[in-house]
Amino acid sequence: MQFWVIAVIDSETKLLCLLGNPVAHSKSPLLHNALIKRHNLNLVYLMFRTSNLDEALSGLKAINFLGANITIPYKSEAMKFLDRIDGDGKACGAINTVLNKKGKLYGFNTDVYGIRKSLNVRKRKVLVMGAGGAARAACLALKDNEVVVVNRNYSRACRLEKDFCCRAEPFKNLGAIMKKSDVVVNATPVGMFPHCDASLIPKRLFEKNHVVFDMVYNPVKTKLVRDAESCGARTISGIEMFLHQATKSFEIWTGIMPEIESARKVIV
Ligand code: NAP
């Protein structure tokens, strides 16, 4: 993703960034730089693809970055390099936001908040696909539901069964689980740019009473969402979660909670 950032850089400019691998799909730099400009702050948001999170975080500390977002695949690994972690981060074993305060790194999980804001369901049967950081956030945010986790690597799904009040099932049972589910959550990168024609669920398995939430937000309408919509299911784009988690991170770094609808206009 390419866009112009017109910013005045001086010795007081503070830096924010995204750390992950890959990062090319991300709209975080676009959104955060627009919010920075709107609120007239002396900040710039960059993105770095890294294969060494430990050194990347030490580097941020050494040059006094204000903070960072952590994305795929580092949300759980990041925990061990931080000085303190917030309640949701501890409870789900993954963080996505780092604040550097006087040389100490504080970790937060704003994904849990983003999911709660996007998908308000209780006492429903929920299928979560994936067992990484985003799936862990889903299990925590949806703990008032009956959650079944399926994942390519079954033993990783079993770890979620141990850590949260949910049930792990092998992928081969997907058809039967779909029949019993009210809500379907994709917490894997399948369908994400540039592999936009991929989906983990065959179209024939969707029913019109399903609520389908895809955390992938680039493209805004993934194949999973398009297939579900064409079967009459209600769908929620990952853009909703993206906006809520991103504005919450912005508040952690700056003390300013941006207005959600004006943030939406930047990225949709
Ligand atoms: P992660 O920690 O790397 O976990 C990825 C998960 O996806 C793992 O369970 C992995 O299975 C599974 N997976 C990966 N490739 C797969 C494939 N080809 N087929 C089947 N399963 C596959 O990543 P994450 O941080 O949880 O993020 C997952 C997705 O959620 C990403 O696309 C991310 O952009 C999105 N997300 C969106 C938002 C938002 O604001 N909308 C926020 C957070 C995350 P294995 O265990 O078998 O490897």
Side-chain angles (χ1 to χ4, degrees):
M1 178 164 293
Q2 283 183 320
F3 55 92
W4 285 91
V5 179
I6 313 288
V8 177
I9 311 275
D10 61 23
S11 59
E12 299 299 311
T13 305
K14 293 265 186 241
L15 298 172
L16 294 166
C17 72
L18 174 69
L19 298 177
N21 190 2
V23 290
H25 65 280
S26 179
K27 295 192 185 199
S28 293
L30 172 66
L31 177 60
H32 285 297
N33 283 307
L35 295 175
I36 286 165
K37 196 166 173 218
R38 183 165 304 156
H39 294 282
N40 202 19
L41 302 172
N42 195 355
L43 287 168
V44 176
Y45 189 108
L46 304 166
M47 63 175 148
F48 300 109
R49 183 164 70 89
T50 179
S51 48
N52 189 332
L53 185 69
D54 184 7
E55 287 184 11
L57 283 171
S58 303
L60 297 194
K61 220 151 108 167
I63 57 173
N64 201 22
F65 258 62
L66 174 61
N69 280 131
I70 307 293
T71 189
I72 179 172
Y74 295 128
K75 288 182 180 181
S76 293
E77 188 187 340
M79 307 265 293
K80 59 178 187 263
F81 306 121
L82 304 179
D83 298 294
R84 200 177 290 176
I85 291 160
D86 79 336
D88 280 346
K90 268 190 206 152
C92 85
I95 60 100
N96 70 327
T97 304
V98 176
L99 173 69
N100 179 14
K101 211 165 146 190
K102 296 183 183 157
K104 294 255 185 272
L105 297 184
Y106 293 78
F108 302 83
N109 191 311
T110 70
D111 283 341
V112 177
Y113 170 85
I115 295 165
R116 285 190 188 122
K117 286 285 200 183
S118 312
L119 183 62
N120 186 6
V121 289
R122 291 183 73 236
K123 296 186 176 170
R124 308 289 288 276
K125 292 183 178 6
V126 181
L127 162 63
V128 173
M129 295 185 294
R136 300 185 75 86
C139 287
L140 183 64
L142 300 170
K143 67 179 169 38
D144 294 335
N145 296 273
E146 203 179 299
V147 177
V148 174
V149 176
V150 298
N151 190 50
R152 181 175 58 181
N153 175 339
Y154 177 61
S155 63
R156 231 178 142 195
C158 293
R159 238 177 284 157
L160 269 68
E161 186 176 76
K162 264 179 69 191
D163 293 350
F164 303 93
C165 202
C166 66
R167 194 173 87 242
E169 287 271 356
F171 230 118
K172 64 177 170 52
N173 296 351
L174 191 66
I177 299 162
M178 281 291 285
K179 275 203 174 73
K180 290 185 198 150
S181 299
D182 306 307
V183 180
V184 178
V185 178
N186 178 35
T188 79
V190 177
M192 188 168 82
F193 174 85
H195 307 291
C196 304
D197 283 325
S199 167
L200 286 176
I201 302 189
K203 189 172 166 178
R204 66 185 156 75
L205 295 181
F206 289 111
E207 291 168 18
K208 65 173 184 304
N209 59 319
H210 282 142
V211 175
V212 178
F213 171 40
D214 197 343
M215 290 198 194
V216 173
Y217 65 85
N218 185 2
V220 174
K221 279 200 181 185
T222 57
K223 177 165 167 45
L224 182 98
V225 164
R226 282 184 273 124
D227 285 351
E229 258 180 17
S230 72
C231 297
R234 182 161 89 78
T235 61
I236 301 163
S237 165
I239 283 288
E240 299 306 316
M241 175 181 173
F242 175 75
L243 282 169
H244 287 289
Q245 61 79 18
T247 48
K248 193 72 186 164
S249 296
F250 194 82
E251 186 188 30
I252 287 167
W253 297 318
T254 67
I256 299 167
M257 186 56 164
E259 208 262 309
I260 212 85
E261 289 312 317
S262 61
R264 186 189 304 278
K265 283 188 193 129
V266 177
I267 53 161
V268 182

